[in-house]
Amino acid sequence: MKLLFELSKKGHGSNFLPALDVPEATLPDSARRAVALDLPQLSEVELSRHYTRLARRTFGVNNGFYPLGSCTMKYNPRINEEAASLAGFTGIHPLQPAHTAQGCLEALHETERCLCEITGMDAVTFQPAAGAHGEFAGVMLIKAYHLAHGDAKRTRIIVPDTAHGTNPASANMAGLTVINIPSDAHGCVDLAVLREVVGDDTAGLMLTNPNTVGLFDPNILEITRIVHDAGGLNYYDGANLNAVMGIVRPGDMGFDVVHLNLHKTFSTPHGGGGPGSGPVGCKDFLREFLPNNQVVAVSKAGVSGDVRDKAVASKTVSEAIGINSAASEEVSYSFASPSKSIGSVKAFYGHFLVIVRALTYIKRLGAAGLREASIQAVLNANYMQKRLSDFYDVAFEGLCMHEFVLSLQAIKDKTGVSALDVAKALLDNGVHPPTMYFPLIVHEALMIEPTETESKEVMDEAIDIFRKVREQIRLDPDSLHAMPLTTPVRRLDEVNAARNPRLRF
Ligand SMILES: *Cc1c(COP(=O)(O)O)cnc(C)c1O
């Protein structure tokens, strides 16, 4: 396919800029280009066709089944887009005075209230642009907390070997030393090992629960207690929240800080680079360290203070999510910086329209709907796991949560067909591959997360395709090394692409 620059024809296209309606200003020479910018020249229809062609070559949730484990590729309801395109949300400027954007601040405040209720936290920052960025911000909160308590030696953070690679990376970026601990035979945290590694140098623990092999750690309360007893804090990687919304809350499991991936759990679009959103929630004792630009609700009677806290404290999950902020008439919203803020991790208040999409999703489903979504997600994963276990090895037997892991190791030993080969064969059959080679503790891993938005019929069709591929492995294993045959590009040199990216035309 040609690039826009190659499609360009001199004289095509037109200038869509409106006529100048303000006095013309001239730039100083030092700020002017020496040579005119060489922009591609294309008509609107040429441009439109180019992007439509590109869109047809990509695979998204609107093309078909997308069981990419750990990524929660659920359907993104169109009503989210409708809300996010309302002029009152799109036509604002981040520097405009807060009193002229009260509805937008209320949306932020309301989303914060909902996320607090869903996670069991007391405050949320929306600045982080995605999950990994949230991890960084969250770990910075933990670090700031220890430093504020004169506990400078707490520099070690414990991360189980099932963790997403971003966990150790974020902790490392925040200047902490990562202590990797092995999982037990069931894929969960090994309590004996955890007890051994905690100490007066422990900053905290980073954990996702259910973990990346799809298991809810039965010892979760004991785990978070061991870390607290040692003086550390508990960080919850909320990427797997889709399994437990409205059922259990990280705050009740003993976690002090969480990040959420709005683009996973709360149905805002992702893949292809964003924009995402990775809000971070924390317990009250960490609130003073949160990044800048926290929305504060102030009663119009002039009594300052965060009325939100009182509102949340007196509500149950369903009340908090189901109710419009009845107080909005008497409340005005403004931005404030917490007293010991870690500073900004991103400009202003994060990706606002992503937050609007998530709020729409939460309001549309309500408390009961969110809970139902998690229940369906777990049911779907168990259905697929059970049926696929007839012809593939499941890495960890028993009930799973919202995702599960297959291991192709035995098949590879016998036939030479790897997890990668199976993933490529699925592509030829119209199914997006599962996550491959993750988590690292499972060899030849394929990690499958159907999500709640898939029907039994879609899953049955996918299971038939998995079976067909299994049959092909039996009959003609070598043929799988050549797949995919039907995609716009065949096997890519992924290592070379990552190590030597060509980012310029
Ligand atoms: C996706 C994911 C992350 C990182 O989130 P991004 O939004 O992609 O930065 C972290 N942990 C787990 C378990 C994940 O699945």
Side-chain angles (χ1 to χ4, degrees):
M1 216 179 122
K2 284 187 172 168
L3 301 178
L4 287 178
F5 290 90
E6 296 167 296
L7 292 171
S8 174
K9 293 255 160 42
K10 205 167 167 4
H12 281 212
S14 41
N15 188 346
F16 295 113
L17 293 179
L20 198 62
D21 62 354
V22 291
E24 189 173 345
T26 32
L27 286 172
D29 279 348
S30 62
R32 297 172 80 99
R33 290 185 168 277
V35 186
L37 188 60
D38 184 22
L39 290 175
Q41 300 188 28
L42 293 152
S43 68
E44 184 172 334
V45 64
E46 286 165 332
L47 196 62
S48 174
R49 283 181 185 153
H50 174 76
Y51 285 110
T52 303
R53 271 196 298 270
L54 267 182
R56 275 213 297 256
R57 289 175 158 229
T58 59
F59 191 100
V61 277
N62 290 331
N63 295 82
F65 191 44
Y66 204 139
L68 191 65
S70 210
C71 295
T72 311
M73 306 304 289
K74 64 171 74 178
Y75 176 68
N76 314 127
R78 285 301 169 267
I79 190 174
N80 298 354
E81 301 306 312
E82 209 172 310
S85 58
L86 291 173
F89 289 140
T90 59
I92 50 161
H93 191 281
L95 287 177
Q96 100 188 39
H99 75 268
T100 64
Q102 285 293 293
C104 296
L105 272 75
E106 186 180 355
L108 285 169
H109 189 263
E110 183 64 9
T111 313
E112 179 180 9
R113 217 169 61 85
C114 294
L115 296 183
C116 282
E117 193 54 38
I118 292 167
T119 57
M121 294 290 139
D122 299 313
V124 169
T125 170
F126 289 105
Q127 274 196 351
H133 196 193
E135 292 165 22
F136 173 75
V139 170
M140 290 296 284
L141 293 182
I142 292 176
K143 193 175 162 184
Y145 170 82
H146 290 311
L147 287 176
H149 287 78
D151 224 350
K153 67 180 176 307
R154 294 197 178 269
T155 55
R156 286 151 65 98
I157 193 142
I158 301 160
V159 181
D161 57 3
T162 48
H164 196 269
T166 51
N167 288 190
S170 308
N172 189 57
M173 269 186 80
L176 297 177
T177 306
V178 175
I179 308 298
N180 221 294
I181 57 167
S183 304
D184 66 14
H186 311 290
C188 292
V189 172
D190 189 322
L191 290 181
V193 175
L194 179 62
R195 283 199 187 93
E196 228 162 80
V197 299
V198 294
D200 61 5
D201 56 359
T202 300
L205 165 81
M206 293 181 91
L207 194 71
T208 180
N209 190 35
N211 64 16
T212 57
V213 296
L215 303 175
F216 191 94
D217 203 310
N219 299 316
I220 191 60
L221 293 175
E222 183 65 11
I223 291 165
T224 52
R225 204 168 56 83
I226 291 170
V227 175
H228 277 159
D229 285 351
L233 300 183
N234 292 303
Y235 181 94
Y236 184 87
D237 174 340
N240 293 330
L241 194 81
N242 210 48
V244 296
M245 284 186 295
I247 300 168
V248 311
R249 312 191 304 172
D252 301 332
M253 295 182 217
F255 289 92
D256 307 294
V257 191
V258 320
H259 85 254
L260 301 175
N261 308 60
L262 297 188
H263 45 287
K264 294 180 180 172
T265 316
F266 298 99
S267 84
T268 73
H270 65 306
S277 178
V280 169
C282 66
K283 287 283 174 78
D284 218 19
F285 69 95
L286 290 169
R287 186 196 288 267
E288 59 187 343
F289 304 107
L290 281 172
N292 298 322
N293 291 325
Q294 285 299 107
V295 175
V296 190
V298 181
S299 125
K300 277 194 179 148
V303 190
S304 64
D306 198 342
V307 297
R308 192 270 329 279
D309 291 340
K310 286 168 213 123
V312 165
S314 65
K315 283 193 173 94
T316 64
V317 176
S318 48
E319 279 171 337
I321 295 168
I323 282 174
N324 278 327
S325 58
S328 66
E329 291 307 316
E330 312 106 54
V331 170
S332 76
Y333 301 93
S334 58
F335 286 116
S337 287
S339 54
K340 297 178 186 159
S341 174
I342 58 169
S344 282
V345 297
K346 196 177 192 308
F348 305 110
Y349 32 73
H351 291 152
F352 177 62
L353 292 176
V354 178
I355 299 158
V356 170
R357 288 178 175 91
L359 178 62
T360 308
Y361 179 76
I362 291 169
K363 292 289 177 185
R364 175 89 159 83
L365 265 65
L370 291 177
R371 183 184 160 85
E372 184 65 21
S374 283
I375 290 171
Q376 288 295 331
V378 171
L379 179 63
N380 279 0
N382 277 286
Y383 177 71
M384 279 201 77
Q385 176 179 251
K386 182 81 187 88
R387 291 209 45 210
L388 287 180
S389 69
D390 290 343
F391 38 99
Y392 289 97
D393 292 335
V394 174
F396 296 94
E397 295 288 344
L399 283 179
C400 64
M401 296 297 288
H402 65 309
E403 61 192 0
F404 59 95
V405 184
L406 302 178
S407 173
L408 274 283
Q409 187 62 55
I411 290 178
K412 188 179 179 200
D413 290 345
K414 238 173 90 191
T415 65
V417 172
S418 66
L420 179 81
D421 293 327
V422 170
K424 299 301 181 195
L426 292 172
L427 274 173
D428 271 340
N429 288 280
V431 167
H432 193 284
T435 294
M436 310 180 294
Y437 299 98
F438 179 77
L440 302 177
I441 60 167
V442 177
H443 296 294
E444 294 297 324
L446 284 180
M447 181 189 207
I448 299 173
E449 180 184 8
T451 84
E452 72 279 9
T453 53
E454 297 303 336
S455 65
K456 179 172 178 293
E457 288 73 21
V458 169
M459 289 190 292
D460 284 341
E461 214 175 291
I463 290 161
D464 286 344
I465 290 168
F466 272 92
R467 182 188 288 119
K468 180 177 140 193
V469 171
R470 184 68 188 90
E471 192 56 16
Q472 188 180 342
I473 296 172
R474 199 176 65 78
L475 296 174
D476 186 7
D478 286 345
S479 67
L480 277 100
H481 303 314
M483 302 181 94
L485 303 170
T486 58
T487 47
V489 285
R490 304 274 303 275
R491 284 213 188 192
L492 303 174
D493 183 349
E494 288 164 7
V495 174
N496 200 18
R499 296 282 178 263
N500 307 302
R502 278 173 52 198
L503 303 175
R504 295 162 58 110
F505 172 52

